[in-house]
Structures are given as structure tokens and as C-alpha cells.
Amino acid sequence: MTRGAHPDTTEASSAPRHHPEGPGPRRPSPLRRPPWTLLTNHGHVLLAVAGSPDARVSEIAARVGITVRATLAILKDLEAAGYLTRHRVGRRSHYTVDRHQHFRHPATADHEVDELLAIFSPTPAGPPHSGT
């Protein structure tokens, strides 16, 4: 398998495929994950931690769909880069996300992590916001 290739991807998958119902958007089969996602596993772990700061590593791993070992490595990466801080509370870990940390990629470095979290956070209940 080549570097970066997804295990469900084969050489034949690079050939154009025809949709049986003609042109238009295709949706992946619900039984098979697409070979790539817009957010990396690091992004998904960060979102999971932001949504549940007291979650166990196994719970984060299950939510993201990766192994506990991969989750631990990503948590370590995020902590080393300053995106989150881990605090021990008894035998558990509590994570605090630095919402003002900037993205690492030069094209998005002007944006803070809080902007991403706001997209995926549930909106607070209350009266609808008026445009006035």
C-alpha cells in the first residue's frame, strides 16, 4: 500500500466511475466509509475533547473511529502544540482546549480554533437572533 493510501482504496479506484443513475452527486454507501475526510483525525479528536473535556481516551477513540493508541498520540501532539492542556483529576484526565490558538497551516493561520469549534458546537437554546 502506498503512503497515505486508505486500506479500502485500490489502484482501480483511481479510474473514473460512472453513477448508474447518470451525472450528479454521489453519496458513499452507508456500509463503507469514504477514503478521505475534510477534517483530519487531529481535528476530530480536538472537537471530541472540546465537546466532552472529561471523556476517557477510549470514549474519544470510539467517537472518532480510531484506536486508543492513535488517540493517545494525537492528544500528545495537540498538547505539545498548545491546542489543549491536560489536568489530572484523581485517576482521570480533564482537557482544556485553548480556543484562541491559531491554526498551523499558513493559509488559515489568521483564524483561531474557536472558529472551528463554533461551527460544530450545538447552538445555545434561547430566542432566535434578530438581524437588527
Side-chain angles (χ1 to χ4, degrees):
M1 186 177 335
T2 60
R3 180 180 165 96
H6 189 274
D8 291 340
T9 307
T10 62
E11 291 294 326
S13 68
S14 62
R17 289 182 256 164
H18 297 284
H19 196 271
E21 297 160 9
R26 288 185 303 143
R27 294 198 174 126
S29 165
L31 302 176
R32 187 172 176 187
R33 284 178 57 180
W36 61 274
T37 62
L38 288 174
L39 295 178
T40 66
N41 286 341
H42 281 68
H44 285 287
V45 168
L46 187 68
L47 289 169
V49 167
S52 187
D54 294 312
R56 292 188 164 115
V57 174
S58 60
E59 294 167 343
I60 296 168
R63 182 171 177 185
V64 175
I66 58 176
T67 65
V68 169
R69 185 179 201 147
T71 304
L72 285 168
I74 290 170
L75 288 167
K76 186 177 179 180
D77 287 347
L78 293 171
E79 187 175 9
Y83 287 96
L84 59 86
T85 305
R86 181 175 61 102
H87 307 278
R88 296 294 291 181
V89 179
R91 294 179 56 191
R92 304 269 314 255
S93 292
H94 173 86
Y95 298 96
T96 304
V97 175
D98 180 356
R99 294 174 172 271
H100 298 291
Q101 183 74 354
H102 287 264
F103 285 96
R104 293 171 49 145
H105 194 280
T108 55
D110 291 341
H111 297 276
E112 295 181 352
V113 168
D114 192 40
E115 296 174 57
L116 176 69
L117 299 178
I119 294 170
F120 291 98
S121 297
T123 53
H129 175 52
S130 64
T132 59

